[in-house]
Amino acid sequence: MSDPVRISRRRFTAGCLAAGALDAGNALESWGTPGRVNAQRKISLDQDWRFCGKSSPGALEPDFDDRSFPCVTLPHTVTSLSWQNWDPASWQDVWVYRRHFSVPPDLAGMRLLLRFDRVLAAATPVLNGHRLEPHWGGFLPFEREITGLVAAENTLAVEVDSRWLNVPPEGSPRGPSAVDYLLPGGMTGSVSLLAVPQIFLRDVFAKPVNVLGPDRRLDIAGRIDAQSRLPANLDLRVRLRGGGQIIASAATHVRVEEAEQEFHLAMQGLSAVRLWDTENPHLYDLEVAVTSGDGTAHKYGTRIGFREARFAIDGFYLNGRRTQIFGLNRHELHPYTGFAVPSHCERRDAEIIRREFNCNFVRCSHYPQSEAFLDACDELGLMVWEEPPGWQYIGDDRWRELAVSDVEGMVHRDRNHPSIVIWGVRINESRNDEDLYWRTTEAAKTLDGTRPCSGSMTSISTGTVEGWHEDVYAFDDYHAEADGSVGISAPVPGVPFMLAETVGQFNYSAGKGFDRRYRRAGDVDVQTSQAIYHAQAHSRAANHPQCAGAVAWCAFDYASLMNAYNTVKCPGVADVFRIPKLGAAFYRSQADPATRPVIEPDFYWDFGPQTPSGPGEHAAIFSNCERLEISVDGRPHSVLHPDRSGFPNLRFPPFFADLKLYGAGHPELWIDGFKGDARILSRKFSSDRSEDRLWVSVDDKELTADGANATRLVFAAVDRYGALRAFGHGGVSFSVEGPGILVGDNPFLLDQNGGAGAVWIKTRPGQTGTIHVAAHHDALGSGSVEIRVLAPGAAAPW
């Protein structure tokens, strides 16, 4: 425990406090925000950074003249990025950011800390010329106490090392091509100045116990940090709030005799608590307060949920009910910004996976992901697998220490999230390292103990599992059956089992030398196979009662050097812009028809060079309707029913139609969906390209003027009815008026992504008003959107 690397990443010293994140923008907190350690005061330092480029002599010194360097707002990436053709050489260097700040006089007598949410891949903060302890690793928060180093006016410089380092997930001698996701560096999270009293609370963990029993309780543990005024007699009070009401409370007295002392408290009387589940994700606010003899108080708030998540030999149980895991893996990388993604956009990903793709489970592959994403998962009822950074490679002893520390930091940060139901404690798809994985499993169980541990495996055992220390055997199954369909292996006997990955990157049946990737701009036959493969995987996984379910690969395309097209890897059912591909048709159809009836053809209604006879003889249509009636040019064509024999374990199997047609005259396709005798949805599709138009839409009509808030602007070539057209051509150009910045390619070439794309519109710090964005295409016409920008605190875009 004395290893200096581990101390810098995990230990609870005054120089590096392991605490939760704090959202930027709020200057004063009383009870705080979900899942986070609370300062009495918090000052956001996200704005007004000077990005000084590559490190140069004197750039870390207080008197360095940084006035000529550009002013940036966090999060920020060190290099300019498009949505493709990323070059690791553009970010692999040492960079410097600088920020000047003052300390308000009313913070006198308080302890001050700097909080960094994320810096990729290593960081050395320097305050007023004093070099603070470096931090290694780019996906978890760290803090440094600066109480004795501050003045009225201060200069904070941060040296950001984005080279290929001996730090998970990096370190392999093969360089960036050894990891199946790219790692553009920068200050990819928020920075805050925290002020706390001399005695304060941290690391509060609220553990629901016996959730399904009559004696349900909440075991609350945490640490009291008291660097002075010892011994101290303290009053500790805990309240649980829900719906604006106090549900339960507890109190005790604590005598603190050490600088760091644990406390434990049990809360009873929780019979009125409602359980968190995927359909009704009930959440509660836990409030903990400590008061010293002189009346000084510190308050800590975190958000929790009550649920039992249990993996058994016969599957997964949520609150005692057998629940089939239906999920997708998710990479956090975004076009144009890499990991420097505003919280609002992180939350949007969770909304897409839960509400549009109807998943109940997401695997955070392959690193701890944004707290904003996890907060949204809590709110949406989206269950989570979270794991440490890594991809196959295991390094030297120092690297292993950092891997263990990553597991510790991940569990410390996120153990109050009810959405997290399993910890990944193995490096993704790595060889079995018995000693390392004994340590990571032990770390997770020591710090939490309420969740099982697992890790993705690329080999499957048919007998006794030896040298394996986790609770759930998770297999990445990418094999194909003899007919080219998706193969699903029988579960490992005698242990809880699930599929951590399946389907993946390639078309199973296409031959070598063929573009088998699911590119929107690629082969149509390959594109139409993706949804079928995902449907096969989930149906066949459910055929094994022992299998808890499948988490398919994956939700979104992402940046990689492995089997990628212009550094974009294409296994996602949505592209890098989060625009659904044909492959998403299966997931979109798995919704309750009473809430959202769906008709999603797994084809383009087109008679172009790739499909001169239309969709073909076995064209799939995904729908949650009971019956589909198809017409071509207004004439009845066929009546379809779901293929329950081919997909027996799906709630809503696909329909198949013979749509091999002669395309002269540009026929129209009409699909009516029925439940009983009632028509609940109709969709129309045109094959006449002469009436195509440019479609432009924005996710949010309101943003806040914090300089980081952004929204996605999506555009595509569509037919007269609004259906995406395959293989749009030409460029879309944009103009922006008002307090906004366009983040993305301008112009954007539709050919490169098959006719659709996106840019992001970002606010300017402190500038309110209306952003007008106009988009133009020479053949498809023009479109425009307006976005209101309000002062921070005046709008709630989520």
Side-chain angles (χ1 to χ4, degrees):
M1 302 297 285
S2 62
D3 185 286
V5 172
R6 298 187 73 190
I7 288 174
S8 70
R9 299 287 301 282
R10 180 217 176 222
R11 294 297 292 168
F12 312 112
T13 64
C16 180
L17 297 174
L22 289 153
D23 282 339
N26 299 325
L28 177 63
E29 295 190 359
S30 55
W31 286 106
T33 51
R36 294 166 169 82
V37 162
N38 308 131
Q40 292 297 88
R41 287 279 302 275
K42 180 197 62 173
I43 299 172
S44 170
L45 300 181
D46 283 350
Q47 297 179 12
D48 301 323
W49 286 85
R50 295 288 180 174
F51 178 54
C52 301
K54 295 179 181 180
S55 184
S56 60
L60 300 176
E61 299 302 319
D63 57 356
F64 181 78
D65 187 356
D66 55 24
R67 290 174 296 177
S68 63
F69 292 98
C71 190
V72 300
T73 298
L74 304 184
H76 182 264
T77 303
V78 297
T79 188
S80 297
L81 297 170
S82 177
W83 65 276
Q84 59 179 348
N85 296 314
W86 291 8
D87 180 8
S90 69
W91 63 74
Q92 287 188 348
D93 214 310
V94 180
W95 310 81
V96 173
Y97 293 78
R98 293 172 59 89
R99 179 43 156 101
H100 303 278
F101 69 94
S102 58
V103 176
D106 61 346
L107 299 188
M110 302 189 78
R111 294 171 63 181
L112 302 178
L113 304 94
L114 287 172
R115 162 83 181 198
F116 298 84
D117 281 353
R118 280 180 167 185
V119 183
L120 188 65
T124 302
V126 180
L127 180 66
N128 300 330
H130 298 277
R131 186 177 289 260
L132 307 180
E133 186 179 7
H135 176 80
W136 302 93
F139 292 97
L140 289 165
F142 64 99
E143 293 178 0
R144 299 290 182 263
E145 182 160 9
I146 58 171
T147 304
L149 302 176
V150 295
E153 300 295 329
N154 303 274
T155 299
L156 172 63
V158 182
E159 187 176 68
V160 176
D161 194 338
S162 298
R163 295 173 295 182
W164 187 255
L165 303 175
N166 188 31
V167 172
E170 301 175 338
S172 169
R174 293 167 48 205
S177 63
V179 175
D180 186 27
Y181 48 96
L182 289 175
L183 295 155
M187 296 188 67
T188 54
S190 290
V191 178
S192 302
L193 176 66
L194 311 182
V196 294
Q198 294 296 316
I199 299 176
F200 69 97
L201 298 165
R202 52 187 172 88
D203 302 326
V204 171
F205 177 35
K207 181 171 69 174
V209 178
N210 199 20
V211 168
L212 304 184
D215 55 345
R216 179 187 303 151
R217 74 175 192 272
L218 191 65
D219 286 351
I220 303 156
R223 289 179 178 267
I224 298 172
D225 188 303
Q227 294 294 324
S228 62
R229 302 180 182 177
L230 296 179
N233 294 310
L234 307 177
D235 292 320
L236 192 68
R237 177 172 51 85
V238 183
R239 294 185 298 188
L240 185 71
R241 292 181 178 272
Q245 302 294 319
I246 297 177
I247 305 298
S249 62
T252 189
H253 300 288
V254 180
R255 180 171 175 83
V256 179
E257 297 181 343
E258 300 177 358
E260 294 180 1
Q261 185 167 314
E262 294 184 356
F263 69 85
H264 299 270
L265 186 66
M267 179 180 284
Q268 309 281 353
L270 301 175
S271 59
V273 164
R274 293 184 292 175
L275 300 185
W276 184 98
D277 64 27
T278 56
E279 298 303 321
N280 297 288
H282 297 294
L283 296 169
Y284 294 88
D285 293 316
L286 183 73
E287 306 167 345
V288 185
V290 62
T291 306
S292 59
D294 63 1
T296 302
H298 181 237
K299 299 178 181 180
Y300 183 113
T302 189
R303 190 171 62 181
I304 65 171
F306 293 80
R307 56 104 187 99
E308 181 191 74
R310 180 172 60 88
F311 287 82
I313 299 298
D314 59 344
F316 172 72
Y317 290 80
L318 181 63
N319 298 329
R321 180 173 58 88
R322 174 67 161 81
T323 301
Q324 187 73 8
I325 288 173
F326 180 76
L328 286 163
N329 284 261
R330 181 239 184 186
H331 265 301
E332 189 176 289
L333 283 161
H334 274 62
Y336 313 126
T337 59
F339 290 105
V341 182
S343 295
H344 181 53
C345 299
E346 298 275 15
R347 297 175 66 94
R348 182 66 65 191
D349 271 11
E351 185 178 41
I352 293 171
I353 294 169
R354 183 71 182 108
R355 291 180 175 167
E356 187 167 353
F357 295 164
N358 301 298
C359 292
N360 63 13
F361 195 101
V362 61
R363 178 177 171 218
C364 296
S365 49
H366 304 290
Y367 37 81
Q369 298 190 1
S370 161
E371 291 176 271
F373 179 77
L374 297 176
D375 284 342
C377 292
D378 289 343
E379 296 161 14
L380 294 167
L382 181 59
M383 297 183 291
V384 175
W385 160 321
E386 191 173 32
E387 64 189 27
W391 202 84
Q392 297 188 348
Y393 172 78
I394 297 175
D396 59 16
D397 288 347
R398 180 182 184 275
W399 194 99
R400 286 174 168 84
E401 291 295 324
L402 291 172
V404 175
S405 181
D406 279 329
V407 171
E408 294 170 335
M410 174 183 74
V411 176
H412 262 294
R413 189 191 73 168
D414 296 329
R415 57 188 173 174
N416 284 322
H417 286 283
S419 59
I420 297 176
V421 298
I422 188 167
W423 297 119
V425 296
R426 301 174 67 95
I427 301 302
N428 175 66
E429 296 182 348
S430 61
R431 71 181 188 278
N432 192 42
D433 186 315
E434 191 169 348
D435 176 69
L436 173 62
Y437 295 141
W438 183 90
R439 293 178 62 196
T440 57
T441 300
E442 184 67 15
K445 289 185 177 297
T446 298
L447 294 171
D448 178 5
T450 67
R451 296 172 176 89
C453 296
S454 188
S456 66
M457 312 274 284
T458 56
S459 61
I460 190 164
S461 173
T462 58
T464 302
V465 180
E466 297 181 357
W468 177 74
H469 299 293
E470 294 81 58
D471 305 299
V472 180
Y473 198 105
F475 180 48
D476 292 358
D477 196 343
Y478 286 118
H479 87 276
E481 299 292 350
D483 62 358
S485 65
V486 173
I488 297 296
S489 301
V492 176
V495 296
F497 181 88
M498 66 177 290
L499 295 177
E501 297 180 22
T502 183
V503 184
Q505 160 81 345
F506 296 115
N507 179 282
Y508 280 64
S509 58
K512 292 182 178 180
F514 192 74
D515 187 354
R516 300 181 294 152
R517 292 165 289 206
Y518 303 114
R519 297 174 53 235
R520 189 191 302 280
D523 182 85
V524 169
D525 287 340
V526 174
Q527 292 187 57
T528 59
S529 70
Q530 188 184 23
I532 298 298
Y533 290 147
H534 279 262
Q536 289 173 349
H538 284 285
S539 182
R540 294 174 183 182
N543 198 46
H544 297 281
Q546 185 191 338
C547 183
V551 189
W553 192 263
C554 60
F556 311 119
D557 291 350
Y558 56 95
S560 175
L561 298 179
M562 288 188 176
N563 299 311
Y565 188 91
N566 292 339
T567 71
V568 176
K569 195 163 183 175
C570 307
V573 297
D575 61 22
V576 293
F577 305 108
R578 282 55 182 162
I579 304 171
K581 305 179 192 175
L582 294 180
F586 160 60
Y587 291 95
R588 300 174 88 178
S589 71
Q590 302 303 298
D592 184 346
T595 302
R596 187 174 70 253
V598 175
I599 297 173
E600 287 293 334
D602 186 23
F603 53 79
Y604 300 111
W605 184 245
D606 188 75
F607 296 86
Q610 288 203 40
T611 54
S613 300
E617 297 177 340
H618 197 62
I621 303 171
F622 286 88
S623 176
N624 53 7
C625 298
E626 294 177 354
R627 181 179 82 256
L628 298 180
E629 295 185 4
I630 293 181
S631 301
V632 177
D633 270 346
R635 294 185 294 273
H637 177 276
S638 54
V639 177
L640 309 178
H641 295 89
D643 181 9
R644 298 195 180 279
S645 61
F647 302 83
N649 300 304
L650 296 183
R651 184 182 180 189
F652 300 109
F655 299 71
F656 291 93
D658 182 351
L659 290 174
K660 185 176 182 179
L661 302 168
Y662 184 55
H666 307 299
E668 289 193 350
L669 174 68
W670 298 1
I671 308 175
D672 293 326
F674 291 82
K675 183 175 182 180
D677 293 330
R679 183 171 60 187
I680 59 175
L681 182 64
S682 294
R683 291 197 65 188
K684 296 182 179 181
F685 305 85
S686 172
S687 63
D688 186 355
R689 287 180 173 262
S690 69
E691 297 185 337
D692 287 358
R693 58 185 175 85
L694 180 67
W695 169 73
V696 180
S697 181
V698 68
D699 287 340
D700 305 284
K701 297 293 187 181
E702 288 186 353
L703 296 175
T704 54
D706 61 3
N709 202 205
T711 189
R712 180 183 61 156
L713 187 149
V714 187
F715 48 90
V718 299
D719 70 13
R720 62 180 294 191
Y721 298 112
L724 264 65
R725 176 69 73 196
F727 310 115
H729 300 285
V732 179
S733 57
F734 306 91
S735 62
V736 179
E737 297 179 357
I741 303 168
L742 186 144
V743 179
D745 290 358
N746 188 12
F748 185 100
L749 301 181
L750 290 177
D751 313 59
Q752 297 180 354
N753 197 47
V759 295
W760 273 256
I761 306 299
K762 182 179 178 180
T763 62
R764 296 179 182 272
Q767 297 185 24
T768 60
T770 301
I771 303 173
H772 303 267
V773 185
H776 176 77
H777 185 280
D778 286 345
L780 299 172
S782 301
S784 63
V785 296
E786 289 191 350
I787 306 163
R788 293 181 64 210
V789 181
L790 306 181
W798 175 260

Short mmCIF file of all heavy atoms in Angstrom, two decimals, residues 526-548:
data_model
loop_
_atom_site.label_atom_id
_atom_site.label_comp_id
_atom_site.label_asym_id
_atom_site.label_seq_id
_atom_site.Cartn_x
_atom_site.Cartn_y
_atom_site.Cartn_z
N VAL A 526 -24.51 -6.14 -47.19
CA VAL A 526 -23.86 -6.21 -45.89
C VAL A 526 -24.66 -5.38 -44.87
O VAL A 526 -24.89 -5.80 -43.73
CB VAL A 526 -22.41 -5.72 -45.97
CG1 VAL A 526 -21.78 -5.64 -44.58
CG2 VAL A 526 -21.58 -6.65 -46.86
N GLN A 527 -25.09 -4.21 -45.25
CA GLN A 527 -25.86 -3.36 -44.34
C GLN A 527 -27.14 -4.04 -43.89
O GLN A 527 -27.50 -3.98 -42.71
CB GLN A 527 -26.20 -2.03 -45.02
CG GLN A 527 -25.02 -1.12 -45.30
CD GLN A 527 -25.48 0.23 -45.81
OE1 GLN A 527 -26.27 0.93 -45.16
NE2 GLN A 527 -25.00 0.62 -46.98
N THR A 528 -27.84 -4.69 -44.80
CA THR A 528 -29.12 -5.31 -44.44
C THR A 528 -28.95 -6.56 -43.59
O THR A 528 -29.89 -6.99 -42.91
CB THR A 528 -29.93 -5.67 -45.70
OG1 THR A 528 -29.18 -6.56 -46.52
CG2 THR A 528 -30.27 -4.42 -46.49
N SER A 529 -27.75 -7.15 -43.59
CA SER A 529 -27.53 -8.35 -42.77
C SER A 529 -27.35 -8.02 -41.30
O SER A 529 -27.54 -8.89 -40.44
CB SER A 529 -26.31 -9.12 -43.29
OG SER A 529 -25.11 -8.41 -43.04
N GLN A 530 -26.96 -6.80 -40.97
CA GLN A 530 -26.59 -6.48 -39.59
C GLN A 530 -27.75 -6.66 -38.63
O GLN A 530 -27.60 -7.27 -37.55
CB GLN A 530 -26.04 -5.05 -39.50
CG GLN A 530 -25.45 -4.72 -38.15
CD GLN A 530 -25.00 -3.27 -38.04
OE1 GLN A 530 -25.47 -2.39 -38.77
NE2 GLN A 530 -24.08 -3.00 -37.12
N ALA A 531 -28.91 -6.13 -38.96
CA ALA A 531 -30.06 -6.25 -38.07
C ALA A 531 -30.46 -7.71 -37.88
O ALA A 531 -30.84 -8.13 -36.78
CB ALA A 531 -31.23 -5.44 -38.61
N ILE A 532 -30.38 -8.50 -38.93
CA ILE A 532 -30.72 -9.92 -38.84
C ILE A 532 -29.78 -10.63 -37.88
O ILE A 532 -30.20 -11.43 -37.04
CB ILE A 532 -30.68 -10.58 -40.23
CG1 ILE A 532 -31.73 -9.94 -41.15
CG2 ILE A 532 -30.90 -12.09 -40.12
CD1 ILE A 532 -33.16 -10.11 -40.68
N TYR A 533 -28.48 -10.34 -37.99
CA TYR A 533 -27.51 -10.97 -37.10
C TYR A 533 -27.76 -10.60 -35.63
O TYR A 533 -27.67 -11.45 -34.74
CB TYR A 533 -26.09 -10.59 -37.50
CG TYR A 533 -25.63 -11.20 -38.80
CD1 TYR A 533 -24.77 -10.51 -39.64
CD2 TYR A 533 -26.04 -12.47 -39.19
CE1 TYR A 533 -24.33 -11.07 -40.83
CE2 TYR A 533 -25.61 -13.03 -40.37
CZ TYR A 533 -24.75 -12.33 -41.20
OH TYR A 533 -24.32 -12.89 -42.38
N HIS A 534 -28.07 -9.35 -35.37
CA HIS A 534 -28.35 -8.95 -34.00
C HIS A 534 -29.62 -9.64 -33.49
O HIS A 534 -29.68 -10.06 -32.33
CB HIS A 534 -28.48 -7.43 -33.90
CG HIS A 534 -27.17 -6.73 -33.83
ND1 HIS A 534 -26.62 -6.29 -32.64
CD2 HIS A 534 -26.27 -6.38 -34.79
CE1 HIS A 534 -25.45 -5.71 -32.87
NE2 HIS A 534 -25.22 -5.74 -34.17
N ALA A 535 -30.62 -9.76 -34.33
CA ALA A 535 -31.85 -10.46 -33.93
C ALA A 535 -31.56 -11.93 -33.66
O ALA A 535 -32.06 -12.51 -32.68
CB ALA A 535 -32.91 -10.30 -35.01
N GLN A 536 -30.74 -12.56 -34.51
CA GLN A 536 -30.37 -13.95 -34.29
C GLN A 536 -29.63 -14.12 -32.95
O GLN A 536 -29.90 -15.05 -32.19
CB GLN A 536 -29.47 -14.45 -35.43
CG GLN A 536 -30.18 -14.65 -36.75
CD GLN A 536 -29.22 -14.98 -37.88
OE1 GLN A 536 -27.99 -14.86 -37.72
NE2 GLN A 536 -29.76 -15.38 -39.02
N ALA A 537 -28.70 -13.22 -32.69
CA ALA A 537 -27.90 -13.33 -31.47
C ALA A 537 -28.77 -13.28 -30.22
O ALA A 537 -28.64 -14.12 -29.31
CB ALA A 537 -26.85 -12.23 -31.43
N HIS A 538 -29.68 -12.33 -30.15
CA HIS A 538 -30.50 -12.20 -28.95
C HIS A 538 -31.51 -13.35 -28.84
O HIS A 538 -31.76 -13.85 -27.73
CB HIS A 538 -31.21 -10.86 -28.94
CG HIS A 538 -30.31 -9.72 -28.57
ND1 HIS A 538 -29.89 -9.48 -27.28
CD2 HIS A 538 -29.74 -8.74 -29.34
CE1 HIS A 538 -29.11 -8.41 -27.26
NE2 HIS A 538 -29.00 -7.95 -28.49
N SER A 539 -32.06 -13.77 -29.95
CA SER A 539 -33.01 -14.87 -29.91
C SER A 539 -32.32 -16.17 -29.49
O SER A 539 -32.84 -16.93 -28.66
CB SER A 539 -33.69 -15.05 -31.27
OG SER A 539 -34.65 -16.10 -31.22
N ARG A 540 -31.14 -16.42 -30.05
CA ARG A 540 -30.45 -17.68 -29.74
C ARG A 540 -29.84 -17.67 -28.36
O ARG A 540 -29.75 -18.73 -27.71
CB ARG A 540 -29.39 -17.95 -30.83
CG ARG A 540 -30.04 -18.22 -32.18
CD ARG A 540 -29.06 -18.35 -33.32
NE ARG A 540 -29.79 -18.53 -34.58
CZ ARG A 540 -29.22 -18.72 -35.76
NH1 ARG A 540 -27.89 -18.74 -35.86
NH2 ARG A 540 -29.96 -18.87 -36.84
N ALA A 541 -29.42 -16.51 -27.86
CA ALA A 541 -28.96 -16.44 -26.47
C ALA A 541 -30.09 -16.78 -25.52
O ALA A 541 -29.89 -17.47 -24.51
CB ALA A 541 -28.40 -15.05 -26.17
N ALA A 542 -31.29 -16.31 -25.82
CA ALA A 542 -32.44 -16.58 -24.95
C ALA A 542 -32.88 -18.03 -25.01
O ALA A 542 -33.68 -18.47 -24.18
CB ALA A 542 -33.60 -15.66 -25.33
N ASN A 543 -32.37 -18.78 -25.98
CA ASN A 543 -32.71 -20.19 -26.08
C ASN A 543 -32.04 -21.02 -25.00
O ASN A 543 -32.41 -22.17 -24.77
CB ASN A 543 -32.32 -20.72 -27.46
CG ASN A 543 -32.99 -22.03 -27.82
OD1 ASN A 543 -34.21 -22.16 -27.63
ND2 ASN A 543 -32.23 -22.99 -28.31
N HIS A 544 -31.02 -20.46 -24.34
CA HIS A 544 -30.31 -21.14 -23.27
C HIS A 544 -30.78 -20.58 -21.92
O HIS A 544 -30.43 -19.45 -21.57
CB HIS A 544 -28.80 -20.94 -23.40
CG HIS A 544 -28.22 -21.50 -24.66
ND1 HIS A 544 -27.95 -22.85 -24.82
CD2 HIS A 544 -27.86 -20.91 -25.83
CE1 HIS A 544 -27.44 -23.06 -26.02
NE2 HIS A 544 -27.37 -21.90 -26.65
N PRO A 545 -31.54 -21.32 -21.15
CA PRO A 545 -32.04 -20.78 -19.87
C PRO A 545 -30.94 -20.34 -18.93
O PRO A 545 -31.14 -19.43 -18.12
CB PRO A 545 -32.82 -21.97 -19.29
CG PRO A 545 -33.20 -22.80 -20.47
CD PRO A 545 -32.06 -22.67 -21.44
N GLN A 546 -29.75 -20.96 -19.04
CA GLN A 546 -28.66 -20.57 -18.14
C GLN A 546 -28.04 -19.24 -18.52
O GLN A 546 -27.45 -18.56 -17.68
CB GLN A 546 -27.58 -21.65 -18.13
CG GLN A 546 -26.46 -21.38 -17.12
CD GLN A 546 -25.27 -22.29 -17.29
OE1 GLN A 546 -25.39 -23.37 -17.85
NE2 GLN A 546 -24.10 -21.86 -16.82
N CYS A 547 -28.19 -18.84 -19.77
CA CYS A 547 -27.58 -17.60 -20.24
C CYS A 547 -28.40 -16.40 -19.77
O CYS A 547 -29.59 -16.29 -20.08
CB CYS A 547 -27.46 -17.60 -21.76
SG CYS A 547 -26.65 -16.13 -22.43
N ALA A 548 -27.74 -15.49 -19.06
CA ALA A 548 -28.45 -14.32 -18.53
C ALA A 548 -28.86 -13.36 -19.63
O ALA A 548 -29.73 -12.51 -19.41
CB ALA A 548 -27.57 -13.60 -17.51
#
